[in-house]
Amino acid sequence: MPQILDTTDPDFDAAFAALLSAKREDSPDVDNVVAGIIADVRARGDAAVIELTERFDRIALTPETLRFSPDEIAEAIARVSSEDRAALELAAARIHAYHARQMPRDEEWTDEAGATLGWRWSAVSAAGLYVPGGLASYPSSVLMNAIPAKVAGVGRLAIAVPTPDGQVNPLVLLAAHLSGVDEIYRVGGAQAIAAFAYGTRSIAPVDKITGPGNAFVAAAKRRVFGKVGIDMIAGPSEILVIADKNNDPDWIALDLLSQAEHDESAQSILITDDAGFGRAVVAAVEKRLETLERRAIAGVSWRDFGAVITVRDLDEAAALSNRIAPEHLELCVADPEALSQKTVHAGAIFLGQYTPEAIGDYVGGPNHVLPTARSARFSSGLNVMDFLKRTTLSKMTPEALRAIGPAAARLARSESLEAHGLSVLARLDRLNG
Amino acid sequence: MPQILDTTDPDFDAAFAALLSAKREDSPDVDNVVAGIIADVRARGDAAVIELTERFDRIALTPETLRFSPDEIAEAIARVSSEDRAALELAAARIHAYHARQMPRDEEWTDEAGATLGWRWSAVSAAGLYVPGGLASYPSSVLMNAIPAKVAGVGRLAIAVPTPDGQVNPLVLLAAHLSGVDEIYRVGGAQAIAAFAYGTRSIAPVDKITGPGNAFVAAAKRRVFGKVGIDMIAGPSEILVIADKNNDPDWIALDLLSQAEHDESAQSILITDDAGFGRAVVAAVEKRLETLERRAIAGVSWRDFGAVITVRDLDEAAALSNRIAPEHLELCVADPEALSQKTVHAGAIFLGQYTPEAIGDYVGGPNHVLPTARSARFSSGLNVMDFLKRTTLSKMTPEALRAIGPAAARLARSESLEAHGLSVLARLDRLNG
């Protein structure tokens, strides 16, 4: 049974605080192992990557077979059914269209002092996308990582995907192909992150690494942060559904289960202003759990981390939602737009009962790589900006320097940075002399 | 003497690669110490913060005196000269005007499938700014961190600034006051970062931490990343000046020294297409080093990490600049706009001989918190976006769900995520039935 809370309960605050701070993931302390792997890849390059891949993925590679060949990719893609291909193409087109609108503009203006100011955006030269292998190898995640990078104008796009026992998902290769990926390596884990960050003879280094991964990948990304850019440290998936009684309990149950089935550590929460509706959803979840393919995983998630919270009204729901800062937020209420104005801390909002979260996982257009573990308080889902950087521009005329230079010299003086001040004053002396 | 390189030298490539990879900072491994401090602050809160402050800053605080009182702030501000105050106010106004232009817009549109898509920006609720204490306590850095946060709309803005032996820079308090900071704590080091990330009884937790700091601060920021957002891990400052012979060697020398005087690990590089001009700049640096107040620091930086590179032409200069990816880039050439189009990897560009980098440190308008250590390849200077996050929005109509839902269900099937597919199909069944 999930937790059943009611904001009118006297112990609600304590129970809600406990729910918020519940540790859902046992992060094994792999930091020392990862540090060793990174050092090994830095020192021995390809040889280390190949040995580690043999140990962890049980496949024997050479520098030549680290990378998928064009023939291997074409052969795998040919095995994809036309229906799957069409679905992936629709998804790619919609994700592209959404992200194309995110491209920011360069700006330049001249202010009243005569200074010309502005900025210019440019793409990172090379990006590396990590794609988990095995069961959690999702072609949709390839699209969600690669397309924003391509839209941003990244010149070189590489993928690392482990192929345990040689297994590879042809749809992953097709998704990479559709999104314009240049290189695909059959390498995973911390060794893949190290190779992307520092480069080996066969794998050129990249400037930015994105994509989800296990504890080893997460620890490696944290360690190489600074040497390269990273996106975020992803945790288990979450959904919060705010629903009134005018919903089909089974639809809401399926939305909750679509997160729960990801992972035993996933979390699905329902907030409703109608306790009876909450009970109906709990019953609908139980019924679906009788037959769901991934009922073992979803059942554990729902039992350990699921929650149904009854609130007095939707304002209270919005306030709780902001404290949760959910990765995914579904608003199944009469006026979802109005409610969405109040739920400001959320990775992605799905408005109305015809927008199940799963639409956003595949074909809606917005990105499905979203901030977890309450990090929507301070971060955004993956987007085009993640592959761009902004260079600021300033140009002073002699008049502009006369107008604002003395203040700069004064502040440099106050900070005891003499050369800073002199670099301005030497120019002003000439201009004024 | 700095390194003198010439791209026509046969060993140039090796020498330039060595220059690029030179380790300029001995990062002491303080990670275990920092982990202990963070655990202590999490466990014991204020008591730990007070004990650590007594140990490191030699001042005895209580929960009541951790925070500067309004009277203390007013008293310190009253000691600032009117000239310093006017300079700081000019800087604040210009920084505000620049950053106000960075506010991004919300978007919403309906596409041909009938799906309404878009996004909405919102500010983090609370931000914590770290300000180094003692000699490196710069009021300009307070403005550069706090003003973008205020422009973004951050509700609560706190500063942590250590006050070793009780020393405090009144200009830092004035800068905080001018930028609308709400709380100022006399706490520094990893204990300040831990208090911001996890909160204590007297210091409420924040969502985002920005600002530079020493090795302890940097290690602490890396450790709390994910629990809160952080800006970047700052390294020693750098400047690259690209100058032709039509410049005053003394002006360029001062620009190089204005980075060198920051820190013995700072790096100043000149690229010129005229070897004679390069020699003249080296001579001018030597002359200025005879009298510069901070000549001990600047001299070591220039000797150990300075470089003068002669190139065949400005295209070659741009190519080298992109490999360096400098924090600060000055273009003192006849057509700086044209050259700036080619120098895409840089934190901030200063165009023309009347724009010394020091202008950008104080009054230009753009931010002076900029990516160091080649991270301009993948990151931007501090800006309004650092205090905002984007929530994506999607709303399907029944027609939109009919149009794109089947593809989502197909992809969910291919990823073996049954509940994802069912959440779409259950709705389509009703709509179609």
Side-chain angles (χ1 to χ4, degrees), chain A residues 207 248 258 377 420 430, chain B residues 207 248 258 377 420 427 430:
Chain A
D207 302 301
D248 185 328
S258 72
R377 291 175 296 126
H420 283 65
R430 171 89 53 85
Chain B
D207 302 302
D248 184 328
S258 72
R377 291 176 294 126
H420 283 66
R427 287 162 165 96
R430 172 88 53 85

Side-chain angles (χ1 to χ4, degrees), chain B residues 12-292:
Chain B
F12 173 78
D13 287 345
F16 184 72
L19 183 72
L20 272 190
S21 62
K23 198 168 164 57
R24 288 191 283 132
E25 209 175 24
D26 263 341
S27 303
D29 190 1
V30 298
D31 208 42
N32 287 333
V33 177
V34 165
I37 290 174
I38 294 174
D40 194 20
V41 172
R42 287 184 71 174
R44 297 194 302 128
D46 281 349
V49 170
I50 287 169
E51 277 179 34
L52 290 160
T53 302
E54 180 146 22
R55 188 190 318 163
F56 293 120
D57 297 334
R58 300 162 299 281
I59 49 168
L61 298 176
T62 66
E64 290 69 37
T65 59
L66 277 174
R67 181 172 167 182
F68 280 93
S69 72
D71 283 353
E72 288 171 316
I73 296 170
E75 184 273 327
I77 290 176
R79 284 188 278 136
V80 175
S81 74
S82 59
E83 293 83 356
D84 280 349
R85 186 182 180 112
L88 213 52
E89 283 172 346
L90 176 76
R94 292 187 57 85
I95 296 163
H96 192 282
Y98 183 90
H99 288 81
R101 290 185 178 247
Q102 291 182 334
M103 276 298 284
R105 275 203 302 263
D106 298 344
E107 300 282 351
E108 190 177 293
W109 66 94
T110 300
D111 69 16
E112 67 290 350
T116 298
L117 303 173
W119 60 75
R120 196 177 292 148
W121 294 94
S122 58
V124 303
S125 294
L129 314 181
Y130 189 85
V131 180
L135 263 188
S137 180
Y138 295 143
S140 57
S141 292
V142 174
L143 301 181
M144 293 291 182
N145 277 271
I147 292 173
K150 270 292 159 186
V151 168
V154 171
R156 177 182 154 243
L157 206 48
I159 278 186
V161 55
T163 58
D165 300 309
Q167 281 191 314
V168 58
N169 181 345
L171 276 169
V172 163
L173 299 186
L174 176 58
H177 175 74
L178 290 176
S179 8
V181 168
D182 302 290
E183 305 159 15
I184 309 175
Y185 298 97
R186 44 189 131 221
V187 179
Q191 57 274 24
I193 304 301
F196 273 160
Y198 291 97
T200 69
R201 185 178 291 270
S202 301
I203 305 176
V206 302
D207 302 302
K208 176 107 188 187
I209 299 175
T210 68
N214 62 17
F216 291 86
V217 170
K221 282 169 72 179
R222 189 183 290 272
R223 280 206 162 250
V224 302
F225 170 53
K227 169 69 182 171
V228 297
I230 64 171
D231 54 340
M232 60 180 90
I233 307 291
S237 196
E238 315 145 2
I239 190 170
L240 170 61
V241 181
I242 301 179
D244 60 26
K245 66 183 175 191
N246 300 316
N247 280 279
D248 184 328
D250 184 52
W251 294 8
I252 304 300
L254 286 166
D255 298 348
L256 296 167
L257 286 169
S258 72
Q259 293 309 301
E261 74 174 347
H262 268 297
D263 189 336
E264 293 183 357
S265 305
Q267 183 165 51
S268 303
I269 300 177
L270 169 66
I271 298 184
T272 179
D273 56 358
D274 186 295
F277 178 76
R279 285 189 294 271
V281 171
V282 170
V285 169
E286 295 301 325
K287 187 159 169 49
R288 285 287 184 178
L289 277 174
E290 289 169 12
T291 56
L292 198 69

